[in-house]
Structure formats: structure tokens, C-alpha cells
């Protein structure tokens, strides 16, 4: 498998490139509009065919690269959760959906809570968790129909039931960490690990007192249109 973890410094977002070596079929998870040229160049240099543009959720902190990448890779299909409120996507994903890149299989796990339309993607012994599970943290739950109670269930009943050695690749990291494992997060995640109860978790999430993401008013409407800025009506 070809695998790249790429980074957008402005939003601290990770974009992942996955590809099947034999067939050359590729997917990007959580592309960022400003990095579309970078991603396109890598795909072309490696001789890959972009088959899927997968989103873990409708982001509030950056605009997706989907529309921009589709101008160069017309065959690529965009994927957003059916609960994400973005009917512009080519495929509205449900829990258990499977996508194929040659012999590589990508499985959708519904992991709502950070937003109601959050999904994770499992590929072999890796899981791409978006903002449901971060390294020693998790996404906030105070907008976009977020729910701490739902996020607790998604992480403890779904992600934490994957094998301990599963590699966790999150949607963001703000201090330079790149990956973790399910076993590590079960033990060391300060919000969800070490057997924290749902009540303890909800209490932590209710008291974060975070400022709104700088780009939320711009990013959410744009992402609900799959990053097609010409379709976003001026506020
Ligand atoms: Fe997010």
C-alpha cells in the first residue's frame, strides 16, 4: 500500500493519501482547498488514479479540496456521511459501506459526536478517525449538532473495540504528533481513556470553554457545498 500523511500548517489538518500499488487506484482523506495543487502533484508524480475523495465530516476549520481536485481528476467520487448535510457529494456514506482501491478495502465506521455526520475509515490495521478521536484528545462537541454523549459511545463502543495495535491517524494534531494506536488511546487519552465514565467525559466536554474556530462562518457553508465556492451565497 502507498501511504502518505500530509499536513496543512494553517489549520493543522492531516490529509491522507492511500493507494493500491498494483492498480494505482488512490483515495484522499480530508483534502484541504489550499493544498489541492500539492496533492494533485503527488498523485500525478506517483502515476495514481484518484478514485475517491473521502471526508471524515463537514469541517469547520478549513474548506475541503474536493471541488478544486475534481477539476483535475474528473473521475474521482466524493464521499460524505449521509448525516453530514452535504447532498452535493457523489456518495452519501452509511456505517459499513465499503470502498475498494484495487485490493485495498476501506470500511466506513459511523462515529458521530464531534458532528452528527462524522465517520471514520478503517483500512487494514489503520483507522482514520477525523476529529472523533485525536491523539490524547478528541474533537469538540459544541456545534454542528455535536454531542458529547454520542461521541463517548462512538469512541468507546466502536473505535475502542478495534484491535489494540490498530494505528490511529487523526484529522488534526496541534503539537506535532502524527499517529497513535487504539491501545495507547484506551490507556492514555485524558478524556476518554483509563476507563473514564460517560458522565466524566460529558463534564469535561461541557467545560472546555473554547472560542469559535476562526473560519467556521466561511468553512461550514462552503463544505456543505463540497467546497464549491460559486454555490455559496454571500452572507
Ligand atoms: Fe472538525
Amino acid at each position: 500500500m502507498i501511504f502518505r500523511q500530509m499536513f496543512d500548517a494553517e489549520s493543522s489538518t492531516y490529509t491522507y493519501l492511500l493507494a493500491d500499488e498494483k492498480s494505482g487506484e488512490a483515495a484522499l482523506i480530508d483534502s484541504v482547498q489550499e493544498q489541492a495543487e500539492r496533492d494533485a502533484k503527488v498523485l500525478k508524480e506517483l502515476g495514481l488514479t484518484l478514485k475517491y475523495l473521502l471526508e471524515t465530516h463537514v469541517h469547520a476549520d478549513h474548506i475541503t479540496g474536493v471541488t478544486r481536485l475534481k477539476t483535475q481528476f474528473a473521475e474521482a467520487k466524493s464521499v460524505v456521511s449521509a448525516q453530514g448535510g452535504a447532498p452535493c457529494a457523489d456518495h452519501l456514506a452509511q456505517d459499513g459501506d465499503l470502498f475498494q482501491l484495487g485490493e485495498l478495502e476501506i470500511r466506513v465506521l459511523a462515529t458521530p459526536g464531534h458532528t452528527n455526520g462524522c465517520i471514520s475509515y478503517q483500512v487494514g490495521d489503520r483507522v482514520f478517525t477525523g476529529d472523533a478521536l485525536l491523539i490524547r484528545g478528541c474533537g469538540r462537541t459544541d456545534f454542528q449538532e455535536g454531542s458529547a454523549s454520542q461521541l463517548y459511545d462512538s469512541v468507546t463502543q466502536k473505535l475502542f473495540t478495534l484491535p489494540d495495535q490498530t494505528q490511529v491517524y487523526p484529522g488534526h494534531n496541534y503539537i506535532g504528533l502524527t499517529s497513535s494506536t487504539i491501545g495507547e488511546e484506551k490507556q492514555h487519552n485524558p478524556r476518554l481513556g483509563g476507563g473514564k465514565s460517560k458522565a466524566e467525559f460529558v463534564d469535561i466536554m461541557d467545560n472546555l470553554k473554547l472560542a469559535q474556530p476562526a473560519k467556521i462562518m466561511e468553512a461550514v457553508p462552503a463544505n456543505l457545498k463540497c467546497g464549491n465556492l460559486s454555490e455559496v451565497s454571500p452572507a
Side-chain angles (χ1 to χ4, degrees), residues 203-224:
D203 188 56
I204 292 170
M205 298 309 286
D206 281 350
N207 289 292
L208 291 179
K209 299 186 177 73
L210 299 168
Q212 289 267 359
K215 280 192 165 181
I216 187 169
M217 301 306 280
E218 178 192 350
V220 172
N223 290 329
L224 289 171

Side-chain angles (χ1 to χ4, degrees), residues 56-62 114-115 118 130-131 139-140 143-144 172:
T56 56
H57 61 297
V58 170
H59 304 276
D61 58 350
H62 69 270
H114 165 59
T115 73
C118 280
D131 298 357
R140 60 197 291 174
F143 52 68
Q144 289 178 283
H172 301 280

Side-chain angles (χ1 to χ4, degrees), residues 26-155:
L28 284 173
I29 299 177
D30 287 340
S31 60
V32 173
Q33 181 182 250
E34 289 82 355
Q35 304 294 348
E37 283 307 317
R38 174 200 67 188
D39 300 354
K41 191 162 182 273
V42 175
L43 285 159
K44 286 176 185 166
E45 284 172 351
L46 299 181
L48 301 172
T49 311
L50 184 60
K51 205 172 164 195
Y52 296 113
L53 284 156
L54 308 172
E55 298 289 307
T56 56
H57 61 297
V58 170
H59 304 276
D61 58 350
H62 69 270
I63 297 174
T64 174
V66 162
T67 292
R68 218 173 259 187
L69 283 156
K70 276 186 149 201
T71 61
Q72 299 197 46
F73 301 94
E75 315 287 273
K77 301 274 179 255
S78 60
V79 177
V80 179
S81 159
Q83 279 71 46
C88 48
D90 297 307
H91 182 89
L92 298 175
Q94 302 280 2
D95 187 56
D97 282 357
L98 296 173
F99 301 101
Q100 210 74 31
L101 300 174
E103 284 168 16
L104 269 189
E105 193 169 78
I106 303 172
R107 183 161 71 104
V108 173
L109 303 173
T111 49
H114 165 59
T115 73
N116 64 337
C118 280
I119 51 183
S120 297
Y121 297 98
Q122 190 200 350
V123 186
D125 63 353
R126 297 169 206 238
V127 64
F128 300 88
T129 53
D131 298 357
L133 179 62
L134 303 175
I135 302 169
R136 310 295 189 265
C138 64
R140 60 197 291 174
T141 54
D142 56 338
F143 52 68
Q144 289 178 283
E145 288 130 298
S147 156
S149 166
Q150 204 177 31
L151 182 57
Y152 184 86
D153 292 343
S154 292
V155 173

Side-chain angles (χ1 to χ4, degrees), residues 146-204:
S147 156
S149 166
Q150 204 177 31
L151 182 57
Y152 184 86
D153 292 343
S154 292
V155 173
T156 58
Q157 292 170 23
K158 226 165 203 165
L159 296 172
F160 281 1
T161 61
L162 296 170
D164 278 355
Q165 65 275 20
T166 306
Q167 298 283 324
V168 173
Y169 288 98
H172 301 280
N173 188 266
Y174 304 94
I175 58 166
L177 297 171
T178 52
S179 69
S180 181
T181 66
I182 290 294
E184 223 177 287
E185 292 309 312
K186 265 163 126 173
Q187 212 183 332
H188 300 296
N189 191 298
R191 294 183 185 171
L192 290 144
K196 280 255 175 355
S197 69
K198 187 188 272 195
E200 286 174 296
F201 177 67
V202 170
D203 188 56
I204 292 170

